[in-house]
Amino acid sequence: MSLTAHTAVTRRLTVETGSGPSRRTAAEVPGPLLDALGHHRPERLPARTVLYVGGFPAPTRPSADHRGLPVRTEPTPGRALRLAHRELQAKTADLALVATLDEPETGAVTVQVLRRAAEAVAEGGPVIGVLDLADVSGESGLSGLSRLSGESGLSGDEEQAPVVRPLRNGVRAADTEGHRLLIWSGADEPDETRVRRDLLSLLDDLAPEAFAGLPTAVPYGRAFGPVRASAVTTAHRAPADVAAAKAVTTRHQRPVALLFPGQGSQHTAMAAGLYRRDPVFTAAVDAVLDLMGEDGPAIRADWLSDRPVIDIDDVRRAQPLLFAVDYALGRTVLSWGVRPVALLGHSAGELVAATLAGVVSLPDAVTMMRERVTEAVKIPAGGMLAVAAAERTLRPYLAGDVAIAAVNAGQQTMLAGSTGPLGEVASRLRADGHTVVAVPATSPFHSPAMAPASDALELSYRGLDLREPELPFYSGYTGELMGREEALSPRYWARQVTDTVNFAPALDQLLAADDVLLVEAGPRQTLTAFARRHRAVRVGASAAVPLLPAKPGTPEDDRRAVLTAAARIWSEGHDLDQEALSRLWTWRQEPAGTDVARPVVAGATAAG
């Protein structure tokens, strides 16, 4: 069951607006409400935040705007909550603050914070539950708005406030044949040996069903020690794999930096083995595709199909799906309790990094990506080439609109341009003995051919709510740590489609700042390969690990790769969320049409 048609309650509290009847008016709600939520400055809220006020008998209403915050006033709590739900689903609001006067005698106001459920689960914050609107179940977007009537926008039979049900969007379904992760540790090497021996005794003659149900860490509840070992294994192979696992002693916990690949890394069904098998990954992909509107279902269908209607290398599929997969993988790693010290994206992957760094909201990022695709398809066909040579070696070969598209490593450079000129350059390079590989792309990204698209994007990006990064975020264009000027500049984000990607210089800066574990959150391991050529990684100061396989494989290959990456992060000294990890072999999404309130496994943390 997809969460995209549901609205989540992420926070609930009571606000006292005053003891006298004269203070129990809707007009006096916004100020105390924002103070209670800790949002003294509305400009720090998401751009599409709306305050809904309902159930106040006094004739006094708040203004339609409170310090820049839109305010909707409804006669009953039920109408306020239902209107908030419908506007969230219609994408006219991204965050709803619903204040209702449930106890007129005391003047106490109940405040609930509402979000689209898939986005709330993807971001890993607390979720109290979802609104149960039986009479509008299954409606979303504009179809729900078609029932609006009158000033309040809601029909008279919707006075009663909807019930908040627990969020349960999956079922327990232990995978008895697939891979799972086992981790264990010791205070020293003899202690780790003893724990491993106990684990092997536990595994003797253990039924496959029981194996899948074992805790992630054994013994359960024990504090982790510095000597650590792990096994990504199956029920059948577990004894041999546990016995053969190499223990490592963690002396220095290298922090994690996330890398996000762009165009050229995509392939059919990339990361599909995680879809409907990990709640955070699934919710994140669904949230992104839902924000794509009517294109979302077709993009999902092509992603999961052996015979897509539009090929994966077409910009109309490559860029939306790369954004969805990269973003979902990033959210999955964050759900394990990892807090990255740096983010770096390559080309389209930089937009994912910007989203996770807080520069742009998810809805705005999806809008930016869609605008990018819209303008790209207007440009005459072109492509990209990967050449095993340094930038300075390739400059004499450039002709027409062919340009240096990306500097990825010392001897790894990409060229881009229109089809004709690019083909001529490729022929000359091959004739001179250079290794040239066509990158899967149908548009000449990062070349002057994209200039008309860049100009159009700058105009469309001017209305976005861009903010300073909340996490260290390295620019793949300047090659430096992202500054305020670049982050807030529509021109900077528009230039992405024409300018050279300086991935290698940006990686230099990142690895000069600290010794880190680089985790590539995307398909094909392209950035991992570039990173492993870097001197800091070659000498062992830093390291690089991919989340997905190097080439297309089976769904089980996807899950095994992610678990292997998690094991590596844990062996570096990071104490990961064991429950979040275990869902990869104990969780499945419900079939379509299943009631959201059925007793199944929660996909997000409950909180009061």
Side-chain angles (χ1 to χ4, degrees):
M1 180 213 68
S2 172
L3 294 173
T4 55
H6 294 277
T7 294
V9 179
T10 62
R11 191 174 177 188
R12 179 192 288 153
L13 68 160
T14 299
V15 177
E16 296 291 341
T17 61
S19 58
S22 62
R23 293 298 302 278
R24 302 187 202 125
T25 66
E28 290 149 331
V29 169
L33 184 154
L34 292 175
D35 291 343
L37 291 172
H39 295 297
H40 307 290
R41 296 174 60 186
E43 63 270 20
R44 293 185 176 178
L45 293 165
R48 287 179 287 270
T49 298
V50 180
L51 170 60
Y52 301 83
V53 178
F56 290 81
T60 305
R61 292 188 173 191
S63 66
D65 180 281
H66 178 79
R67 287 186 285 175
L69 186 67
V71 180
R72 312 267 198 272
T73 303
E74 295 297 328
T76 67
R79 290 191 171 211
L81 284 163
R82 291 173 190 273
L83 182 59
H85 162 79
R86 293 191 176 182
E87 293 197 352
L88 284 168
Q89 294 302 317
K91 314 298 189 300
T92 57
D94 293 328
L95 181 70
L97 309 177
V98 184
T100 57
L101 183 63
D102 298 312
E103 298 181 19
E105 296 80 10
T106 65
V109 175
T110 298
V111 180
Q112 299 185 79
V113 181
L114 273 54
R115 297 190 59 197
R116 289 183 287 272
E119 294 170 34
V121 172
E123 293 188 11
V127 174
I128 297 172
V130 294
L131 297 181
D132 184 2
L133 299 101
D135 56 329
V136 291
S137 180
E139 292 184 0
S140 63
L142 296 178
S143 62
L145 289 181
S146 66
R147 298 181 56 192
L148 301 185
S149 63
E151 179 186 359
S152 69
L154 290 163
S155 57
D157 61 350
E158 296 177 339
E159 300 288 344
Q160 188 170 353
V163 176
V164 177
R165 304 287 187 189
L167 171 60
R168 294 166 176 168
N169 67 314
V171 296
R172 283 199 181 277
D175 190 343
T176 59
E177 302 295 330
H179 288 77
R180 61 152 295 168
L181 174 63
L182 284 171
I183 58 177
W184 65 96
S185 65
D188 49 31
E189 291 183 5
D191 188 36
E192 184 276 325
T193 300
R194 180 186 62 77
V195 173
R196 187 192 305 240
R197 187 167 54 245
D198 291 344
L199 175 56
L200 287 169
S201 298
L202 183 63
L203 293 172
D204 285 344
D205 301 320
L206 193 68
E209 295 80 5
F211 173 72
L214 283 176
T216 305
V218 180
Y220 182 75
R222 172 178 171 144
F224 293 133
V227 182
R228 300 185 170 199
S230 63
V232 176
T233 185
T234 63
H236 174 69
R237 292 188 50 83
D241 288 343
V242 169
K246 181 181 179 180
V248 296
T249 300
T250 302
R251 293 185 174 88
H252 170 63
Q253 182 190 87
R254 286 183 291 197
V256 169
L258 293 178
L259 306 179
F260 300 97
Q263 183 87 31
S265 297
Q266 74 280 352
H267 63 78
T268 302
M270 53 184 173
L274 307 179
Y275 191 60
R276 303 191 178 104
R277 292 297 302 270
D278 180 275
V280 171
F281 181 89
T282 302
V285 169
D286 284 346
V288 171
L289 295 181
D290 185 56
L291 288 167
M292 293 180 191
E294 60 184 14
D295 294 332
I299 293 172
R300 181 189 288 104
D302 279 351
W303 174 44
L304 302 176
S305 174
D306 293 333
R307 297 180 179 180
V309 175
I310 297 178
D311 188 77
I312 185 63
D313 294 335
D314 190 297
V315 67
R316 294 172 293 171
R317 291 295 177 266
Q319 301 251 332
L321 285 173
L322 277 170
F323 182 91
V325 168
D326 286 8
Y327 175 77
L329 287 170
R331 282 295 175 196
T332 300
V333 174
L334 295 180
S335 76
W336 299 342
V338 174
R339 292 296 171 261
V341 295
L343 305 169
L344 170 59
H346 189 291
S347 186
E350 181 159 291
L351 189 54
V352 177
T355 307
L356 296 177
V359 173
V360 63
S361 69
L362 178 62
D364 281 349
V366 173
T367 296
M368 292 172 73
M369 184 273 302
R370 295 185 73 190
E371 291 285 344
R372 182 171 169 145
V373 171
T374 298
E375 297 304 327
V377 297
K378 299 176 183 177
I379 303 299
M384 307 176 80
L385 301 173
V387 188
E391 176 185 2
R392 64 180 179 276
T393 301
L394 298 179
R395 288 207 171 274
Y397 289 90
L398 302 182
D401 61 12
V402 178
I404 301 295
V407 179
N408 294 324
Q411 296 294 316
Q412 292 291 327
T413 308
M414 289 175 61
L415 304 181
S418 300
T419 301
L422 190 66
E424 294 173 3
V425 170
S427 297
R428 291 169 52 208
L429 286 166
R430 291 189 177 104
D432 288 348
H434 291 287
T435 300
V436 180
V437 178
V439 174
T442 58
S443 298
F445 281 107
H446 313 301
S447 79
M450 296 294 291
S454 177
D455 293 340
L457 289 175
E458 183 177 2
L459 291 175
S460 65
Y461 289 174
R462 286 179 181 174
L464 297 175
D465 181 32
L466 299 171
R467 305 187 179 194
E468 294 185 62
E470 297 172 0
L471 292 172
F473 171 27
Y474 286 83
S475 166
Y477 295 88
T478 67
E480 304 282 347
L481 195 65
M482 177 73 76
R484 183 179 187 276
E485 183 177 353
E486 292 87 6
L488 303 184
S489 168
R491 181 59 187 156
Y492 172 87
W493 296 105
R495 281 174 38 216
Q496 281 191 329
V497 299
T498 56
D499 288 10
T500 300
V501 179
N502 287 299
F503 178 79
L507 186 63
D508 286 341
Q509 293 294 318
L510 194 163
L511 295 179
D514 200 357
D515 296 335
V516 300
L517 178 65
L518 300 164
V519 177
E520 182 176 4
R524 284 205 193 275
Q525 304 184 7
T526 305
L527 302 187
T528 301
F530 295 153
R532 285 174 176 169
R533 294 187 178 98
H534 196 282
R535 184 178 183 278
V537 176
R538 293 201 314 270
V539 301
S542 291
V545 59
L547 278 175
L548 291 176
K551 59 184 179 180
T554 67
E556 189 63 22
D557 291 335
D558 289 341
R559 294 188 285 272
R560 184 169 63 247
V562 169
L563 291 173
T564 300
R568 177 62 186 275
I569 296 171
W570 181 80
S571 70
E572 289 278 339
H574 298 270
D575 294 344
L576 305 181
D577 186 317
Q578 298 174 49
E579 182 183 355
L581 286 170
S582 71
R583 290 177 185 145
L584 203 54
W585 63 88
T586 62
W587 184 92
R588 279 188 175 85
Q589 190 181 56
E590 292 181 76
T594 305
D595 184 357
V596 72
R598 290 184 63 180
V600 287
V601 178
T605 307

